[in-house]
Every structure is written in C-alpha cells, then in structure tokens.
Amino acid sequence: MKLSRDGWGGLVALIGSLLLFWGTLGLKDNPLVPIGPGFYPRIVLGITAVLSLWLVLADALAEKQPARSEPLNYPLVALTFAVFGLYVVALPYLGFRIATGLYVAATSALLAPPSGAKSWAGVVLLAVLTAFATHLVFERYLLVLLPRGTWTGF
Amino acid sequence: MFELLGAGIVNILQLKYLAPLFIGTLIGVVGGALPGITITMTVIVVLPFTFGLEPLQGLAAMIGVYVGGETGGLITSCLLGIPGKPSAVATTFDGYPMAKNGEPGRALWLGIWASIFGGLLGAVFLVATTGPLATVALAFGPWEYFSLFVLALSMVAGLVESSLAKGLVSGAIGCVVTVLGNDPVLGQERLTLGIPFLAGGIPFLPVLIGVFAFAQIMSEVERMGGTAKAIEAVDRGVSLAVSHLKVMGEILSRPFLLLWSTFIGLVIGVLPAIGGSAANMLAYDQAKKFSSRPEKFGSGIPEGIIASESSNNANVAGSLVTIMAFGIPGDAVTAVMLGALTIHGIQSGPLFILQNATLAYGMFAAYILAHGLVLLVLLPGVRWMLRIVTIPKAALFPVVVVLCVIGAYALNNTMDNVYVLLVFGLFGYGMVKFGFPLAPFILGVILGDQIEINLVRAIMTDSNPWLFITRPISGGLLAASVISVVAALWQHRRAQRRATGAAQDDADF
C-alpha cells in the first residue's frame, strides 16, 4: 500500500484533526448554556477526521497513474520563503523602511540575479523607491501606521 | 429603486468617489493584463490603500479593480495567446487565432465590448435581484442560515475539479481554523495551543491574503530560473484600429449567445466561491454546443470570444449579489471586499442593503460606471498594456509581498497578523502542492464562525435537532447540500470511468 500526495495530505489532515479533537476533550462545559465551547469544534474536527480518512483510504485503494513531473525550482521557493521569514522577523527591529528596502533588494536579486552594475543599480533603486514610496503614501496620505523599529527608532 | 440608483450614480460621479473608482479600474486592467497576477492578488494589493478611505471610496476602488481586471485579462489572451488571468483562458481559444489571422484589433475589441455588454446586462440582474433576495434572506432564522452556509460549503467542495474528498477536506480545514482561539458565542478560550495571540481567534483577512498571494507567487517562483518560456516580443507596430460600431453590431447580432453567456456568468457568480474561470469555460462550452458551426471553434471565430468574455464580466455581478444579499462571498475577490467591509465596521448580509442603502446603491453605481471607465482606460491605452506585461516578475513580486504585509499589519497595527500571513502563506503553498483547492478552504474560514453561531443559536432557541430538517427552507437547503455532494460524487466517478476507458483505448492501439 503506497500513498501518493493525496494520501499523505489526507494523513496530515487526519493526524492534525485527531490531535485537536483530543484537545477539545479537556474543554469544560458552561453550566449556564446547554452546549459548551467544545461542542462545535468536536463536530468540525470529527467531520475533518472522517473526510481525511476517506481521502487516505481512497488513495491507498486507487490505481496509481505514473506522475508527470515538471522540473520545478524548489530551492528558489525555499530561499524566497526564507528571505520573507527574515523580513518578518526583522520588521519590528529595523522598522518598515529599512527592513522593506533590504527585503525588496534581496528578493529581487534572488529571483533575477543582477549581472552588472546597471542591474544592481536597478535593484537598489527598486528597493529604495518601494520602501520610501509606500511609507510616504501610507503614513502621510492614508494615515496607516507602519511598523517602527525598536533598534532604529523609526 | 431607480431613484436610489440615480442618487447612487450622482454620488459616485463626485470626484472623491470617481477618482478611486478610476484608479481601481486602471490598476485592475493592468493587473488583469499581467500574466501570473490574478484579480484576487490585485485586489489584495489595493486593500491596504482602502484602509484610510471612506467605505464607499474603498469599495469603489475594489469594484473598479474587479471589473477592470475581468476585462484586462483578455488583452494578453488575444494578443499573446497567454491568458492574463484564469477567467480569460477560454478567450485565448478564439481570440489568439483571430489575432494571428491578421485581425488583432477585431479580436481585442470584440472581447472588450462583449465584456461591457455582459457586465451591463449583469448590472440589471444585480440591481433588480439584490433587494428582493435580501428580503427573502431576512425571513431566515438560525436554522436556515446554518443550512445555507452548509449548502455553500458543500457546493464549493463539490464543484472543484480535482477530487470531491479533497474539496470537502479543504472546506473542513477552513472551518477548523475558525475553532482555534475562542468560542464566538460565549467568548470562552479554546484550542489556543498555548499561543496568547490565538485567544482572540485568527482573523480571516491575513489568512486569505497569505493563502492566495503566496500560493500564486510561489507557484510562479518555482518556474523561474529554469526553462520557463519568456513572453515573446510583441509586434507593437500592428494596427489595433477597428470600427467600433461594426464590432458592437457583431455582438448584438448574436443576442441569444450574449444573453445565454451572461446568464451562465451570473449563475456561476451567484454560486459561492467558484469564480470567473468556471463561467468563462462553461460559457465557451455552451456556445460551442449551441453553435451551428462547432467545428470552427478554436479557429478564431467571434462567438468564442463573445461567450467567454460576456460571461466572466457578468460573473462579477453575480458575485456581488451573493455578498450583498446573503453575506456570502461569491469568490475570492468578494471575500476581500467582505474583509474591507468588516474593517469599516459594516456587516454584510440581508440587512446590508436596508441599513446602508447609500453604500449599497453606490456600489451598484460604481459597478455600472466602472464599465465606462474600462473603455476610457483602454481606448487610448490598450497598446501600453502590451508594454506593461513585460514588467519583470522579479521586480513585481517583492513589491506585491510588501503590500500584502502592509495589508495584514494595518488591520490592527500588530505584527501578529504578519506572522499569520507568513504561516498561512506557507500553508497555502503547501495546500497547492498537495493538490487541495483553496476556494473551499477560504469559504470555510469565512463561514466557519457563522455556521457555529447559527448552530448554537438554533439549539439554544429550541433543542429539537429535527427542526433543521422539518423547517421547509432549512430542510430544502440541507437536501440541496446532499444532492450537490451526491451529484459531484457521481460526476467525479463518471469522469474517472471515462479517463480509465480512454487509457484502456490508448493501450489497445
């Protein structure tokens, strides 16, 4: 019995829903109302577990077709997520303008590596413009506050 | 009704509403024309700009994006053979061959005018039915609402193409997201997993932004740096001039095709969370079935363009009906609009049109006027759109992500929502990689709380569970849910049998 991605996806959903279902068993009912806070979550998680089990079983019993694989650049996806993760971590420390400038430059250079001084200048220009234009539009004109950096003070 | 609509139009014609509507339409046309940027992503990008605006200004901008995006997507479909968005895929089948046959202007303007006619016919439906449908919905009790939301989820799960089980699991996971944090009826903490932020529940907007934006951006990123085909250079010298009267005549001389495609778009739009791509394909398929020359479809005939483009613009009107009358998003774009309404403290649903008549009729007016603004943008600017599609994605994607971060952060000025964005960005990409459809998940996230609130209210009013079935409307809606799941199951089985049969036939030869 070999599982394909459907089966694995179903298995992850099954385990997650069962763990959360177990978590609802510790919820205390409120004596003032006929149904407690665990009533609906138990229904939803129970249904999710049953459906996930169906997905796993259907996949396990299905005849597998050979999967067509297209070469995809997963390392680039991982790096793009990693840079975004760093941006999110850096935002409260560096503040919006600096963190955004660094993020835009890093991601842009990652997705299309610059090959000469001109393209590096383009990357820097895009980063600076994005950071300052968004800050100007949102903070000055739309009165939307953006994150301040605890290290930088702005 | 007509007085209110007239007042709405006069209201929207004021510069303070017309300017955001025009800018939204322009951004929508550009976003729609850019392959790899969907209307959902464009409206997500516009969302943070609406926080500092009045509700009608923000909604006008979003409606502009929606209408502009549906029309903009056909530009690259017709001229490059690359759909600007999923709801323009079928437009490519005849638009591109017609352009290659030496009539790029005719292909383009047939699409634009069909979009406008389809959209305006949709406006009639929008204005005429939203109020009466909201009145019907006002008679609903918690039993009917519960059953309506269950129907919405089961229909979406059943209509996804890949697998019914995956659609249902996806919708159920969306509902699971809403049970983390707090009980919406009593406010009691539950399943917070030891994370203090979760005590308040997970706000749906950062979830929606994260799931949709990252699922799409990362799906594009994974094709970068490899053998991905670059957009071919466009012959910018080619003439796009046409006789607009002749093009309009071509469309209006096929009234049945126009009306039927518009009707399909409206019905698909009214059904929750399905979207214009289904409308576009279904209308094209129907046009082919009803045609006296089906063999010509795909060779560059006007019927293919008219059907696909009139339906996807009418789909916008259908989606707006669902959100304004029932508070259920017709698709991802209206889900973002629902978020924008919530931010401004406006409750969508049957009371919306009664309590916010100025806003509701302003939205109708914005929808109607956006079609004129699309023309205003495209008449002088259609050639520019071909330049815009060459913007490198390496420059575009980080800017889009920054706007997503602003959209999440500005909801209540905390980093918590940005962390939610990151987590659900990863989750959304994971769902795509495991082949789970996103639409049922998002609908589950949006409706999960409402399903719980109405279920608990119903039980607290009367503990007899049979009322869900014995009350006629509620029972009818639940029966429709069961029918939709059974029909989807039957349809999936039939498709599987056909696929197996085709594979065996191939093996025989």
Side-chain angles (χ1 to χ4, degrees), chain A residues 5-6 37 40 73-74 103, chain B residues 166 190 222 224 433 452:
Chain A
R5 64 170 192 171
D6 287 12
Y40 175 72
N73 198 345
Y74 288 120
Y103 167 72
Chain B
K166 278 168 141 180
R190 65 185 183 197
E222 67 187 19
M224 290 171 91
K433 295 319 290 179
E452 177 169 12

Side-chain angles (χ1 to χ4, degrees), chain B residues 27-350:
Chain B
I27 293 171
V29 171
V30 172
L34 281 167
I37 302 288
T38 58
I39 304 171
T40 309
M41 202 195 279
T42 314
V43 87
I44 284 172
V45 164
V46 168
L47 176 72
F49 292 96
T50 66
F51 292 163
L53 302 176
E54 281 179 31
L56 186 54
Q57 286 177 314
L59 287 165
M62 287 183 166
I63 289 170
V65 169
Y66 203 177
V67 174
E70 286 294 357
T71 313
L74 70 91
I75 299 169
T76 47
S77 293
C78 290
L79 301 183
L80 300 176
I82 304 165
K85 58 188 167 50
S87 55
V89 170
T91 313
T92 315
F93 301 159
D94 278 287
Y96 188 53
M98 187 183 276
K100 278 208 302 189
N101 293 343
E103 296 179 296
R106 182 178 170 224
L108 196 64
W109 284 103
L110 268 172
I112 295 169
W113 281 110
S115 291
I116 290 168
F117 287 134
L120 291 177
L121 284 170
V124 177
F125 177 81
L126 173 67
V127 177
T129 61
T130 307
L133 281 174
T135 312
V136 171
L138 274 175
F140 284 14
W143 299 271
E144 286 75 20
Y145 273 116
F146 171 82
S147 305
L148 177 70
F149 296 144
V150 169
L151 171 65
L153 262 180
S154 59
M155 279 178 80
V156 174
L159 283 164
V160 294
E161 286 162 19
S162 54
S163 135
L164 174 66
K166 278 168 141 180
L168 291 171
V169 170
S170 182
I173 294 173
C175 292
V176 169
V177 171
T178 65
V179 304
L180 303 177
N182 69 350
D183 163 10
V185 180
L186 299 166
Q188 203 168 324
E189 269 189 35
R190 65 185 183 197
L191 301 172
T192 54
L193 312 172
I195 305 166
F197 162 67
L198 279 185
I202 300 176
F204 90 82
L205 217 46
V207 174
L208 189 149
I209 297 172
V211 164
F212 272 107
F214 282 90
Q216 188 170 357
I217 288 174
M218 292 306 173
S219 299
E220 292 284 328
V221 167
E222 67 187 19
R223 288 179 176 80
M224 290 171 91
T227 53
K229 210 173 81 176
I231 292 173
E232 286 169 26
V234 181
D235 178 9
R236 295 194 186 100
V238 70
S239 170
L240 299 175
V242 286
S243 157
H244 289 280
L245 278 177
K246 203 175 153 191
V247 168
M248 282 192 270
E250 273 197 271
I251 298 167
L252 295 174
S253 64
R254 295 171 174 87
F256 175 75
L257 177 69
L258 181 65
L259 287 172
W260 185 239
S261 307
T262 302
F263 176 73
I264 289 169
L266 286 168
V267 171
I268 298 280
V270 168
L271 298 178
I274 299 174
S277 48
N280 182 256
M281 293 298 286
L282 192 62
Y284 185 87
D285 182 58
Q286 287 284 300
K288 195 173 172 181
K289 278 183 181 148
F290 281 115
S291 173
S292 56
R293 46 174 189 164
E295 73 288 350
K296 295 272 183 193
F297 274 72
S299 64
I301 60 168
E303 288 91 331
I305 304 172
I306 296 167
S308 51
E309 278 308 312
S310 53
S311 68
N312 65 19
N313 269 60
N315 174 75
V316 177
S319 295
L320 289 173
V321 169
T322 316
I323 196 171
M324 290 171 80
F326 299 108
I328 301 175
D331 60 8
V333 180
T334 42
V336 181
M337 281 186 190
L338 187 70
L341 283 172
T342 314
I343 288 161
H344 288 287
I346 298 162
Q347 182 75 38
S348 69

